[in-house]
Amino acid sequence: MRSARAVLPEGYKISASFFQQWQALNDWLLNHESFWRPVPFMEPKPDWCLQYPDLANWLEQRSDAECDEWNEHLSAFAQEVAGFVPALSAYDELVSVPRLSGYERGSKAALREVHAVDMPGRKRLQAGAFAASIAPLKGRVLDWCCGKGHLARTLVGQGAEAVFGFEWDTELVQDGNRLAKKYGDPVHVVQQDVMAEALHWPAIDHGAALHACGDLHRQLLSAGSEAGLARLSVSPCCYHLGGHGAYRLLSQQARHSENVLEIDRAGLRLAVQETVTAPARERAQSARVRIWRLGFDALQRSVSETGRYLPVPSHPARLNNGSFEGFCQWAADKKRVLLPADIDWSYWLAMGQKRSRQVRRHELLRHLFRRPLELWLVLDYAVYLEEQGYRVNLGTFCERSLTPRNLLLDAVHVNA
C-alpha cells in the first residue's frame, strides 16, 4: 500500500476529457429534465405532454410490441423521438463508452461451475467478466463487500497473489473462508464494517468492488484513495442507496461548475431501473398488480380531497391470487381511505388498465435518460479519481444482457 496522499509527479495534469463528458451530460440532462423528473406512475399528465402534444399523441398510438422493441433498443428510439425533440439525437454520442479489454474473455475467467457453490450462474459470469477486464492482476487485492468471496476466488485465477475480503455479515465471512479452504484458494475474508470511520486495512495494493451498492462503492473510492491504494477497480450499483436529501457529487470540478444538476432519490433510482427480462409468469403477475395499483390510485384520487397520488406499501403475497376489489379494500384499509359502498369495480379496473398503458409509454420516454444519468454519476467518480492522482479507464466489462450495471472504473495511481 502506498503512503496516504502521495505527492503527484511534477507536471502531472488532470485530463479534461472525463470532465468535458460530464459537463455535456449535465447540460443535456438539465435541458430535458421535464421528460425524466416526473414519475409516470405518480403523474398522469406531466408538463411535457403540454409542451410536446404531437409527441404525446404519437407515443399514445404505439403498440405494446413497439414499446417492447424500443425498450430493448433505446438508441433507435432516441432517433425516432428526435423528430419531435431534435436535441435527443445526441443520445448515442452522450452514452458511448468503449468496451474494456478482456470483454470477450469473461466466461473463461469465471469460476468453474463445480467450484461456484451457492453462486447463481449469472453472478458467476459477471464476476468472470469483471475479473477478465482488470487482468492481469499482481500483488494483493481486496474484495470490497465480498459476501462469500466468490469474486475474490475468481480474482485469484487472474494472477492475484492473495485476495482479502471485507464483509459485514458473520455467516457470509464464515462461508467465504470455508469455501476458500475447500478449494485451496489464497483468500481470507474478515468481518469489517466498511462504513466505519477507522478501517483496518490489510497489506494490499488493489481494491476491487463488483456491484457494491450506493454509499458502499463511494466509500471505497474515497477511503481507498485516502489510504493510498495503488489501484481501484469499481463497478457501481444502486446509486440511490445511502445518504439523505440531494445527492452530493464527489469531484471538486463538478461541484463547483455552473448550473449543476440537482438530483434526488427518484432520479438516482431511475439510473438503475433497467433490469434483464424476468420470466413470463413474473412479468404477467407484475403487470396485473400494476393495473390494480393504478386502478386504486385513480379510485382514491376521485374520493380524496387532494386528488393526489397516494403511495401504497408492498402488499402481502396472498393478494396476488385474489381480486382487484380485494386489493383495493386492503390498500384503502392500509391508507385509511374511506371508500363508498356502491363502487363499480369493473370501471376502476378499466381505469387501471388505461393508466397502465399510458404509464408504459411515458416510462419508455423516461427510460431514454437512465444511462445518461448513470454516466453522469460515474463520470463524476472518474473526475474525482483523477483529482486524487489516478489515471482512469472507464468502459463496459460485459454485455447489457448479462447485467445492465456493466460500467467499470479502473484507476491506477500515477505513483504506482
Side-chain angles (χ1 to χ4, degrees), residues 111-325:
L111 284 176
R112 292 172 55 195
E113 290 189 61
V114 68
H115 289 181
V117 178
D118 301 331
M119 189 181 193
R122 190 179 295 276
K123 289 290 185 183
R124 182 178 72 88
L125 293 175
Q126 289 171 14
F130 178 93
S133 294
I134 61 174
L137 300 174
K138 61 181 181 179
R140 295 166 169 249
V141 183
L142 173 69
D143 182 1
W144 186 262
C145 302
C146 68
K148 295 183 181 182
H150 296 312
L151 175 65
R153 293 192 295 122
T154 305
L155 294 174
V156 168
Q158 298 305 302
E161 175 187 327
V163 182
F164 295 87
F166 277 175
E167 173 53 48
W168 170 247
D169 189 305
T170 54
E171 290 187 10
L172 296 180
V173 170
Q174 293 170 0
D175 285 343
N177 287 320
R178 175 180 55 80
L179 289 171
K181 182 178 180 180
K182 178 177 179 179
Y183 295 109
D185 294 315
V187 170
H188 180 57
V189 182
V190 297
Q191 184 183 27
Q192 175 66 60
D193 175 7
V194 299
M195 299 303 293
E197 289 187 13
L199 290 174
H200 302 289
W201 295 94
I204 56 167
D205 309 290
H206 184 180
L210 173 59
H211 295 161
C213 293
D215 279 351
L216 298 178
H217 69 247
R218 287 186 281 269
Q219 173 77 339
L220 176 57
L221 297 177
S222 58
S225 58
E226 174 72 19
L229 298 188
R231 188 178 180 188
L232 293 165
S233 303
V234 179
S235 177
C237 189
C238 300
Y239 305 90
H240 60 288
L241 295 181
H244 302 283
Y247 176 74
R248 181 175 171 80
L249 292 159
L250 293 187
S251 72
Q252 293 295 321
Q253 287 184 89
R255 278 191 205 171
H256 297 145
S257 298
E258 294 183 3
N259 301 319
V260 178
L261 176 69
E262 292 188 6
I263 189 168
D264 58 11
R265 193 170 296 272
L268 294 174
R269 282 198 185 97
L270 174 58
V272 293
Q273 273 187 356
E274 184 176 13
T275 57
V276 293
T277 303
R281 181 181 177 184
E282 291 182 21
R283 295 201 307 273
Q285 179 175 293
S286 177
R288 182 172 66 254
V289 171
R290 177 151 120 162
I291 289 170
W292 289 358
R293 285 180 172 272
L294 287 166
F296 173 75
D297 182 57
L299 170 59
Q300 71 83 18
R301 286 180 196 248
S302 74
V303 300
S304 73
E305 295 180 359
T306 64
R308 295 176 181 173
Y309 174 75
L310 184 66
V312 175
S314 297
H315 62 279
R318 61 180 172 78
L319 293 179
N320 290 333
N321 297 320
S323 64
F324 172 60
E325 179 180 352

Side-chain angles (χ1 to χ4, degrees), residues 366-382:
R366 193 170 185 246
H367 287 172
L368 273 180
F369 300 90
R370 291 183 306 203
R371 191 63 153 191
L373 279 165
E374 181 175 19
L375 272 172
W376 180 84
L377 292 160
V378 175
L379 284 166
D380 170 55
Y381 297 168

